[in-house]
Each structure stands twice: as C-alpha cells, then as structure tokens.
C-alpha cells in the first residue's frame, strides 16, 4: 500500500512538473520520426515511410531476426552465467561449513566468540561477501555487453534504443542482484530431506539447511551486505573515480601557466556525463526500489537505509554534476518512460514475494496453527511448540553413508525440524497430518493476503487521480484561452470578408466557428 501511494503521488508530481515545464502537449511519439544517425548510416536499403511519405532507410526483416536471435542468446548466456555463479556460491557454502565448524572447535583463540560467531553465521557472511564480489564483476562486464548487443540490433530511434537497453540491463540486474536473495528466501532449507534420506547436490554435498532460528536472519544478512555494499560501491564510482580522473588531468596541465590554461579549457577537460548518464541513475534507483519492496518483510530497516543513502546521494550527485562533469545537454521528456512500468511491475511482484516470505520463510503460520489447533495448555498456549515442531529419528535407522562416526553418549534417538511420524508408527518418517494442515494454512494465507492487498492497492490507485485538480483546471483554462484567441482571430477575418461582400459563404463559416467555440467550452 505504501508503494502504491509512492507511485501514485509520483504520478501527480510528474504531472505538475510536466505542466510547469510546458511539456503537456509534448508528444514523445514525435521522436519516432527522428531516426538515429547510426541507423541511417548502417541501413543501406530504403523504403517509403507511410507517415512522412518520404524514402528512408530500413533494416530487412531477416537481418532483424538474426540480430534479435544473437541478442537473445547473449542475454540468456549471461543470465545462465549468473545462475551458475549462484550455484557456485551454494557449493561454497556446503563445502566451507564443515571447515568453519572444525576451525572454531579446534582453535582456542576463537572459543570466547564461539557463541556469537557460529559456523552458520560465518558461512553466511563470507558467502554473502563472495556473492557481492561476483555480482560486481558480472555487472561490470555485462554493462558493456548490453550496450554492444543493443548497438548490434541497430534500433531505429533514440527512444527505441533506450527502451531496449533498459529492458536488457534491468533483466540482467534483476537476476544478478536478487537471485541469491530469492534462493535464501524460497529455496534454502526446503529440500533437505530428513535423517537417513538426505538430499545431496551432485551426489556429494548435502543440501544446506537453515539456521535453527530460521532463514530470515540469513536473508537479512544477505540483503544488508548486498544492498549496503552496492550503495557504497555506487558512491565510490560516482564521486571518487571522476575526482581522481580530473585530478590526474589537472596534474598534467600544471606545467602550463594560468593564462594559457583558460577556464573554458579546464571545464572542457572535465568528465563527460554522456547520453546514458541519467540511465544509470534511474537503474540504481529502480534496483534500490526492488530491495526495499521485494524483501521488506524480512528486513524492515531497508527503507531507512535507502532513505539515508538517498539523502547522501543527493548531495554527492549535486557536487558531482557541478564540479566533476561537463554541463549535461538538456533534453525534453514527457515522463520517466518505461521505468514507470518497471516500477509498477515490481510493486505487484512485491506483494507476491512478501506473502511467500511470511508464509514459507518465517515461522508465523506454523505458530498460528499450533496456537489454534494443537496447543494443549490453555494458560500458556505456545508452551510445547518447540517440542511439537521437532520430529524423532532412530539412530539405528541411519544408512551406512549417513551413520554418525562417533556416539560416545550412546544416544538412541535424535530430533530434527520437520513434521514426520516417529519410528514406531506404521507410517514412520512420512509427513504427519499437521504438516498438511500447515501447508494448507500457508497457501490459504498467500491467496487471502494477495487478494486483499491487490484489492486495496488498485482501489487506492483508482481513488488518487494521476493529475492534480488544480493542474487539470489550469490545462483546461489554457486550452480554452487558446481556442478563444483563435476564435477571435477567425471572427476578425470573417468581418473583413463581410465588409468585402462575400456574405453568404461568410455566414456559414461564422456559424461553424461559433459551433467550434461552443464545443471547446463544453470540453
């Protein structure tokens, strides 16, 4: 709901800015008639434009199909590379966990902090840092690949070029930044099996389980490292790198006297903002918007971190644009374009992801099911919940592959988190009825929550008009005055013609003019 309010109030703010900058009647469709110079240079064949009725270059359909196939295959390859890197990080988690456990057990210097720095936490933090480094490396290379394949497609207009590049970059960034978070939130610990029948990756590493406290804490750790690391790295790229480049350029010019190195030459030697300068600013904000909406149920402090970062970044960007870059070339824009649709899509997706996080990643639903259906203590309904959530496994049922190497205490049974029948039951180790009750409750919660939130979301969007009433009135007033001026001008012309004697035809034109004026007033 908060996201919907943000987007609706942004539309109102956008409409007000559009009016103040006199862009109400500016149609971006006009840009469809402006061909890119690269398109005109690379397309040798020509055909007649049905709108302008002029001959203009065009790209044959077969050439477009080949270029789109190459582009799609390249994007698919890089997305597959991201998924492969995520699997590599998962393998790192599985391989390193045992090493951390052994290191902390055998190293005396780590004994005082063993209560705080558990093997699970150490594995999670190091894996998150490794994942962040991989994200930055892949992002560095893909930015250049995305521009190359978009140039290879030879888009017809500047708007078409920006839209294609935007979708490629956003798709990659979405998978790159959010894939690890989706894994921790929705897949980790869900397919581990049970003692005696564990699930193995590549038949070698046992699938990792969540921390005893659940996967929410690990998802929070992942979000904190990736989100904070991205913001810090982004500020370094935006501020420190241009400053170093400009400092190095001024260092070369120190040998010249001041009167030979004029101010306009110093300004010309600053960094170039470039045609894609605002593109990267939009992309950064959209990725941040995803972090604070898609996973806000697991990390409620994410919006606060984003606010603090944006307050700092406003000052950094103002300093950067006024001191480190040449003055950007202004260009008209009717709106933020395709970014608005991307934000709306992420707002809808955030409802689904947060519903699944609350249902499947947190313990809220199992606790509620126990509270209302399985609690046996009326005075303290949640007493016995932990014991109820742990199943029993008989150690003698371990296969040889999973059998414990040591059992000095001669334990007969062990406990694990799941809802399965005990070994003395006729359906031993199969899921109990409580498991299916909890699963049904989770699915019901998701369906009810999604429908309620979607209804409220669309109702709020319908209640808040996209254009403020005063702006709408001013626009109508300007259109009315324009029609009035045109009407008075036509009346003056008609009076001149009446004086010249063409009375009959002029009376018809006068009646038509009056009709148009009445119609404009009604509108």
């Amino acid at each position: 709901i908060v996201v919907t309010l943000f987007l609706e109030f942004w539309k109102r703010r956008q409409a007000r800015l559009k009016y103040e900058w006199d862009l109400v009647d500016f149609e971006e469709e006009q840009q469809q008639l402006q061909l890119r110079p690269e398109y005109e240079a690379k397309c040798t064949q020509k055909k007649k434009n049905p709108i302008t009725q002029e001959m203009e270059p065009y790209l044959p359909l077969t050439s477009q199909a080949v270029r789109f196939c190459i582009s799609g295959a390249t994007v698919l390859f890089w997305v597959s590379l991201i998924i492969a890197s995520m699997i590599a990080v998962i393998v790192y988690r599985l391989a390193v966990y045992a090493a951390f456990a052994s290191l902390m057990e055998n190293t005396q210097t780590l004994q005082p902090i063993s209560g705080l720095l558990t093997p699970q936490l150490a594995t999670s933090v190091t894996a998150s840092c490794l994942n962040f480094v991989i994200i930055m490396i892949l992002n560095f290379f893909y930015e250049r690949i995305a521009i190359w394949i978009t140039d290879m497609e030879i888009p017809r207009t500047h708007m078409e070029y920006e839209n294609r590049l935007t979708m490629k970059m956003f798709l990659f960034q979405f998978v790159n930044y959010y894939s690890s978070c989706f894994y921790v939130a929705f897949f980790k610990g869900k397919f581990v099996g049970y003692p005696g029948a564990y699930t193995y990756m590549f038949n070698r590493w046992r699938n990792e389980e969540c921390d005893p406290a659940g996967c929410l804490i690990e998802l929070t750790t992942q979000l904190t490292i990736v989100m904070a690391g991205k913001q810090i790295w982004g500020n370094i790229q935006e501020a420190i790198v241009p400053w170093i480049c400009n400092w190095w350029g001024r260092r070369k010019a120190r040998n010249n006297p001041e009167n030979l190195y004029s101010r306009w030459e110093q300004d010309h030697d600053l960094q170039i903002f470039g045609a894609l300068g605002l593109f990267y600013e939009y992309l950064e904000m959209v990725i941040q918007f995803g972090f604070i909406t898609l996973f806000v149920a697991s990390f409620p402090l994410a919006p606060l971190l984003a606010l603090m970062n944006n307050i700092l970044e406003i000052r950094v960007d103002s300093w950067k644009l006024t001191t480190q870059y040449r003055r950007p070339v202004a260009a008209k824009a009717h709106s933020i374009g395709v970014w608005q649709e991307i934000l709306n899509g992420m707002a809808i997706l955030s409802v689904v992801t947060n519903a699944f996080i609350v249902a499947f990643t947190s313990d809220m639903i199992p606790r509620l099911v126990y509270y209302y259906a399985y609690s046996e203590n009326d005075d303290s309904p949640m007493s016995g919940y932990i014991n109820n959530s742990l199943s029993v496994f008989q150690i003698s049922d371990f296969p040889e592959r999973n059998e414990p190497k040591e059992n000095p205490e001669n334990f007969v049974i062990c406990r694990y988190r799941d809802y399965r029948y005990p070994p003395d039951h006729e359906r031993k180790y199969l899921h109990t009825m409580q498991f299916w009750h909890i699963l049904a409750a989770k699915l019901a919660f998701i369906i009810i929550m999604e429908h309620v939130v979607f209804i409220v979301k669309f109702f709020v969007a319908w209640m808040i008009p996209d254009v403020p009433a005063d702006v709408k009135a001013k626009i109508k007033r300007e259109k009315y005055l324009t029609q009035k001026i045109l009407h008075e001008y036509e009346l003056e012309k008609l009076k001149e013609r009446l004086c010249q004697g063409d009375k009959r035809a002029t009376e018809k034109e006068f009646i038509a003019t009056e009709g148009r004026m009445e119609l404009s007033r009604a509108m």
Side-chain angles (χ1 to χ4, degrees):
I1 296 174
V2 175
V3 174
T4 304
L5 291 174
F6 168 76
L7 293 177
E8 292 303 315
F9 282 115
W10 163 248
K11 290 179 184 177
R12 293 170 63 84
R13 174 64 176 163
Q14 183 175 258
R16 191 176 296 279
L17 291 174
K18 186 165 58 176
Y19 171 76
E20 292 174 356
W21 286 91
D22 195 23
L23 294 171
V24 174
D25 296 324
F26 175 72
E27 295 291 340
E28 291 190 352
E29 285 76 11
Q30 297 172 1
Q31 299 180 4
Q32 297 292 340
L33 304 178
Q34 301 175 2
L35 301 180
R36 294 174 64 239
E38 295 87 348
Y39 182 85
E40 293 184 286
K42 294 179 180 179
C43 298
T44 56
Q45 302 184 34
K46 293 189 176 183
K47 70 175 182 179
K48 191 174 184 179
N49 189 316
I51 300 174
T52 61
Q53 297 296 316
E54 296 178 356
M55 299 298 292
E56 65 178 28
Y58 83 103
L59 194 64
L61 185 61
T62 54
S63 179
Q64 290 184 32
V66 172
R67 294 173 187 273
F68 279 130
C69 288
I70 296 174
S71 174
T74 306
V75 173
L76 185 61
F77 168 77
W78 278 90
V79 171
S80 303
L81 192 62
I82 297 173
I83 297 174
S85 66
M86 185 186 69
I87 294 175
V89 173
I90 294 173
V91 172
Y92 166 83
R93 292 171 182 266
L94 300 177
V96 168
Y97 174 76
F100 272 122
S102 177
L103 179 67
M104 293 181 180
E105 183 179 353
N106 299 326
T107 306
Q108 296 297 327
T109 55
L110 296 177
Q111 291 298 323
I113 61 172
S114 60
L116 298 175
L117 187 63
T118 62
Q120 293 95 334
L121 181 60
T123 303
S124 176
V125 171
T126 56
S128 299
C129 294
L130 177 63
N131 182 64
F132 173 72
V133 173
I134 294 175
I135 286 174
M136 291 295 105
I137 293 174
L138 291 176
N139 190 39
F140 174 80
F141 287 106
Y142 183 78
E143 284 183 1
R144 288 147 182 80
I145 296 295
I147 295 174
W148 175 75
I149 59 178
T150 306
D151 290 337
M152 182 198 64
E153 293 176 3
I154 317 180
R156 186 171 177 272
T157 63
H158 290 286
M159 184 188 299
E160 192 175 336
Y161 180 89
E162 290 182 2
N163 289 343
R164 291 187 187 181
L165 181 61
T166 298
M167 294 309 299
K168 290 183 182 66
M169 287 294 294
F170 174 73
L171 175 63
F172 177 83
Q173 299 271 17
F174 185 90
V175 179
N176 196 20
Y177 281 107
Y178 303 141
S179 58
S180 58
C181 297
F182 272 96
Y183 163 74
V184 175
F186 305 124
F187 296 100
K188 184 180 178 181
K190 305 297 187 296
F191 310 100
V192 297
Y194 63 93
Y198 287 121
T199 306
Y200 287 82
M201 177 180 286
F202 306 127
N203 290 323
R204 181 174 180 182
W205 293 289
R206 203 179 94 188
N207 284 359
E208 60 178 339
E209 301 182 38
C210 293
D211 187 84
C215 279
L216 272 183
I217 185 64
E218 187 167 344
L219 179 58
T220 303
T221 303
Q222 182 83 16
L223 284 170
T224 305
I225 292 175
V226 175
M227 184 178 175
K230 180 187 180 302
Q231 293 174 349
I232 294 171
W233 179 251
N235 288 328
I236 291 174
Q237 278 187 315
E238 291 182 7
I240 297 179
V241 173
W243 179 81
I244 293 175
C245 294
N246 290 330
W247 172 81
W248 184 256
R250 289 192 298 268
R251 185 175 176 273
K252 290 182 178 180
R254 283 178 186 171
N255 297 328
N256 298 329
E258 184 67 25
N259 58 351
L260 296 180
Y261 192 50
S262 61
R263 183 66 197 177
W264 68 267
E265 289 178 307
Q266 297 176 34
D267 291 343
H268 183 268
D269 289 339
L270 295 175
Q271 300 298 303
I272 302 174
F273 191 68
L276 297 176
L278 277 181
F279 172 82
Y280 291 111
E281 298 291 338
Y282 278 125
L283 183 62
E284 181 183 3
M285 289 296 102
V286 169
I287 295 299
Q288 184 192 86
F289 181 82
F291 277 120
I292 65 176
T293 55
L294 296 177
F295 307 101
V296 69
S298 64
F299 190 27
L301 283 179
L304 178 62
L305 291 179
L307 176 63
M308 295 170 60
N309 172 78
N310 292 345
I311 293 173
L312 173 64
E313 187 155 348
I314 288 173
R315 306 313 307 164
V316 171
D317 285 346
S318 63
W319 172 80
K320 173 187 72 175
L321 290 172
T322 54
T323 63
Q324 304 302 314
Y325 282 86
R326 301 180 194 173
R327 180 181 296 176
V329 179
K332 291 183 177 180
H334 190 263
S335 62
I336 61 175
V338 71
W339 295 109
Q340 184 74 44
E341 302 303 322
I342 291 175
L343 291 174
N344 289 332
M346 295 186 72
I348 294 174
L349 180 62
S350 66
V351 177
V352 180
T353 56
N354 285 289
F356 272 87
I357 287 174
V358 173
F360 284 95
T361 309
S362 71
D363 283 342
M364 189 186 81
I365 302 300
R367 289 176 179 272
L368 289 176
V369 171
Y370 178 81
Y371 182 89
Y372 288 106
Y374 290 91
S375 178
E376 298 177 353
N377 190 336
D378 296 335
D379 297 331
S380 179
M382 291 307 296
S383 63
Y385 167 73
I386 298 297
N387 184 61
N388 176 264
S389 65
L390 298 176
S391 298
V392 178
F393 183 81
Q394 191 168 337
I395 294 180
S396 60
D397 291 335
F398 268 116
E400 185 177 352
R401 177 181 182 179
N402 304 121
E403 189 175 0
K405 296 181 180 179
E406 298 179 359
N407 188 9
E409 302 293 332
N410 294 321
F411 289 112
V412 178
I413 61 171
C414 65
R415 306 294 296 273
Y416 61 98
R417 293 194 65 179
D418 208 342
Y419 295 93
R420 295 180 182 272
Y421 288 109
D424 56 353
H425 196 276
E426 61 179 4
R427 303 183 61 193
K428 72 173 186 176
Y429 305 141
L430 295 179
H431 284 120
T432 63
M433 189 56 65
Q434 185 176 354
F435 170 85
W436 301 110
H437 289 166
I438 292 173
L439 181 60
K442 290 179 177 179
L443 297 177
F445 171 82
I446 291 173
I447 294 172
I448 294 172
M449 177 182 173
E450 285 181 358
H451 282 71
V452 170
V453 174
F454 278 136
I455 290 172
V456 175
K457 170 183 166 55
F458 291 121
F459 178 75
V460 170
W462 174 75
M463 285 289 294
I464 302 176
D466 293 345
V467 182
D470 60 326
V471 175
K472 190 178 295 185
K474 289 177 182 178
I475 294 173
K476 289 184 177 180
R477 173 70 177 168
E478 289 185 359
K479 288 184 178 180
Y480 168 74
L481 291 176
T482 303
Q483 292 288 339
K484 184 178 180 181
I485 292 171
L486 291 174
H487 171 66
E488 292 175 352
Y489 175 77
E490 289 183 4
L491 283 180
E492 291 295 329
K493 289 294 183 182
L494 289 172
K495 288 178 182 179
E496 293 178 3
R497 295 181 64 179
L498 280 171
C499 294
Q500 295 175 0
D502 190 4
K503 184 176 180 182
R504 189 172 179 182
T506 309
E507 286 180 354
K508 292 182 179 180
E509 293 180 8
F510 179 80
I511 294 171
T513 305
E514 287 289 343
R516 287 196 297 269
M517 191 61 190
E518 290 296 330
L519 180 61
S520 66
R521 286 174 180 171
M523 293 174 62

